[in-house]
Amino acid sequence: MLSVKNLCTEYPNDKGEVVKAAQDVSFDVPEGKLFTLLGPSGCGKTTTLRSIAGLERPKSGEITVGGVAVYSSGKSIFIQPNKRNFGMVFQSYAIWPHMNVFQNVAFPLEVSSRKYGKQEIETRVMRVLRAVGLDQYADREATKMSGGQQQRLALARALVMEPKLLLLDEPLSNLDAKLRERMRFELKRMQRELGLTTIYVTHDQSEALALSHEIAVMSAGRIVQCGSPRDIYERPRNKFVADFVGITNFLDATIEAPEGTVDSRFRVHSSIGKLCVTSSESFRAGDAALISVRPEDVDLSVERPNGDNVAEGVVDTKVFLGEYMDYQVRVADQVMLARVHPSFNVSTGSKVYLHMNPEKCICIPEDKQYRQAA
Ligand SMILES: Nc1ncnc2c1ncn2[C@@H]1O[C@H](COP(=O)(O)OP(=O)(O)O)[C@@H](O)[C@H]1O
Ligand SMILES: [Mg+2]
């Protein structure tokens, strides 16, 4: 539905230098899906979104919606933002304070170049207010609404023009933590129910994992990995993604040999001993690599378990966190974080065994380790 190809957008900075805010960004979003741009502050998420909206003029690339170009450097096309018919909600969504809820949502229709009749405006506004669960507040002053309600009002206002594409830039980041989580569910429900093709921008990895059909992780203006939330979390392809999305243990390693029986399995020598690991990349014996293992994928036991991928360690510290416990276990020179069920309770200084499923030990080639800096 939306297709972004080789998008580059630059800004001049104060010193007259060029900031490459979006570099060779390409992705496709199918009809009705929610696609997220995830990354730390300054990585180019807003620039990419504003380029799609037409609020920035890119340097090069192509953006098409339903096969029709809204921007193309090759064909010299630039459709004005108000002609693109996209709905947008920003972090600092502005509610018109002198208007009530109904008027806020009706406003875009009233100023639109297409003339809407009074009855049509009424029908459309009430339909979107029902969709966001604010129909009973139509007459209320906008400023008398709670933060979450104002957020939904901003969304209703973006939806009333029935946009082809919805662009959301950190729309929940001004809400407190509890409300943010509730709005997350509401947003997801609404997006699915209305089948809205949506680009969502956030620096919050748990928000991205919870909401998205697909995530593009960005670093320094580039997409460094694109995939389903599960792909991104369970099969990070470089160090930046493994580190930015969730918590992980990193182990330095050297490849010994492919593990014969299973494709994409390798035997490595790591800083905690010999391990069997998984990777979608190819390796040769002697190659340097990095292993990423999530703390919840490190099992602990008092007795030595059977099989491979077992290491012996000593409990350094432990922290009770309610639904789970975090153990820091020293293995050789390395401290490993293990997140286990609170029923596993041993004292600090005890000897424990770590066991890691080879499928959960993700092997990243050396050249992908520092890609973020490139
Ligand atoms: N209007 C602008 N003028 C100059 N530099 C900008 C402008 N907007 C953004 N930048 C720079 O472009 C880079 C990407 O910014 P942005 O897209 O806002 O990142 P994000 O939304 O991921 O935090 C940053 O280095 C930022 O300082
Ligand atoms: Mg931003």
Side-chain angles (χ1 to χ4, degrees):
M1 198 268 178
L2 171 74
S3 173
V4 175
K5 281 201 184 68
N6 310 109
L7 177 76
C8 296
T9 303
E10 300 179 347
Y11 303 105
N13 72 3
D14 315 338
K15 296 177 207 123
E17 299 156 348
V18 173
V19 179
K20 295 187 173 181
Q23 296 188 64
D24 203 20
V25 170
S26 300
F27 60 87
D28 286 291
V29 185
E31 182 94 45
K33 300 293 182 194
L34 190 148
F35 184 92
T36 296
L37 297 169
L38 169 70
S41 173
C43 71
K45 308 180 293 295
T46 296
T47 300
T48 303
L49 202 71
R50 288 175 59 86
S51 301
I52 295 169
L55 298 172
E56 301 294 345
R57 198 179 273 265
K59 182 170 154 261
S60 59
E62 188 169 80
I63 301 168
T64 60
V65 178
V68 179
V70 294
Y71 169 73
S72 168
S73 53
K75 298 182 194 139
S76 299
I77 295 171
F78 183 88
I79 307 288
Q80 290 302 320
N82 58 344
K83 295 276 167 14
R84 295 190 185 189
N85 189 24
F86 300 162
M88 294 181 66
V89 180
F90 295 106
Q91 183 176 345
S92 51
Y93 45 87
I95 299 297
W96 290 298
H98 53 287
M99 294 183 191
N100 69 21
V101 167
F102 183 95
Q103 291 162 336
N104 256 280
V105 181
F107 190 71
L109 295 173
E110 279 162 358
V111 301
S112 146
S113 53
R114 202 197 120 184
K115 291 282 164 263
Y116 293 89
K118 203 166 181 320
Q119 191 53 49
E120 192 179 2
I121 291 182
E122 166 91 22
T123 310
R124 281 191 173 223
V125 170
M126 289 316 290
R127 189 165 59 215
V128 289
L129 283 180
R130 262 195 304 281
V132 301
L134 290 179
D135 45 326
Q136 70 273 41
Y137 300 113
D139 299 326
R140 189 169 291 190
E141 273 176 64
T143 48
K144 297 264 161 65
M145 310 284 280
S146 71
Q149 288 170 332
Q150 290 196 11
Q151 217 294 325
R152 282 187 276 166
L153 178 55
L155 197 59
R157 211 172 43 188
L159 293 178
V160 77
M161 298 301 288
E162 298 179 358
K164 282 181 282 197
L165 187 64
L166 186 59
L167 306 175
L168 304 176
D169 192 350
E170 315 234 8
L172 305 185
S173 62
N174 279 344
L175 306 176
D176 66 57
K178 262 228 159 74
L179 188 55
R180 199 157 58 221
E181 269 191 35
R182 195 148 48 89
M183 282 303 296
R184 213 183 261 178
F185 283 107
E186 292 210 16
L187 204 61
K188 182 162 177 165
R189 178 186 56 78
M190 225 178 312
Q191 188 271 331
R192 307 292 204 260
E193 274 178 19
L194 304 176
L196 297 164
T197 310
T198 306
I199 315 288
Y200 193 91
V201 158
T202 183
H203 66 277
D204 181 328
Q205 43 114 354
S206 55
E207 204 166 285
L209 294 173
L211 279 171
S212 316
H213 291 101
E214 198 167 8
I215 299 172
V217 182
M218 290 186 75
S219 167
R222 293 178 187 277
I223 293 179
V224 291
Q225 188 171 351
C226 196
S228 69
R230 215 171 244 283
D231 266 342
I232 295 286
Y233 188 80
E234 294 183 351
R235 287 174 289 278
R237 285 216 312 265
N238 51 63
K239 185 179 183 186
F240 180 81
V241 173
D243 204 22
F244 186 74
V245 183
I247 304 170
T248 200
N249 293 287
F250 285 122
L251 305 170
D252 288 321
T254 310
I255 305 289
E256 289 192 326
E259 171 69 43
T261 50
V262 188
D263 225 18
S264 72
R265 272 299 141 77
F266 298 88
R267 274 188 285 124
V268 303
H269 187 81
S270 82
S271 49
I272 63 166
K274 288 191 188 305
L275 288 177
C276 185
V277 301
T278 301
S279 181
S280 51
E281 312 274 344
S282 54
F283 292 99
R284 276 180 302 185
D287 284 351
L290 191 70
I291 315 299
S292 162
V293 200
R294 303 279 181 201
E296 67 270 26
D297 296 322
V298 179
D299 295 330
L300 296 182
S301 59
V302 174
E303 305 290 331
R304 177 184 273 278
N306 293 325
D308 292 337
N309 284 16
V310 172
E312 187 183 314
V314 174
V315 176
D316 234 21
T317 52
K318 57 172 188 171
V319 185
F320 176 68
L321 290 156
E323 70 260 53
Y324 53 82
M325 273 185 92
D326 274 355
Y327 280 85
Q328 290 199 308
V329 181
R330 183 166 294 279
V331 186
D333 287 335
Q334 179 101 25
V335 175
M336 296 284 289
L337 180 64
R339 180 159 288 183
V340 300
H341 194 268
S343 60
F344 183 82
N345 196 2
V346 299
S347 41
T348 51
S350 314
K351 182 161 98 179
V352 288
Y353 292 94
L354 297 83
H355 177 243
M356 291 146 286
N357 186 337
E359 206 175 317
K360 305 288 186 177
C361 299
I362 304 302
C363 187
I364 296 164
E366 166 141 76
D367 61 345
K368 299 281 172 71
Q369 293 178 25
Y370 304 103
R371 187 165 160 188
Q372 142 208 29

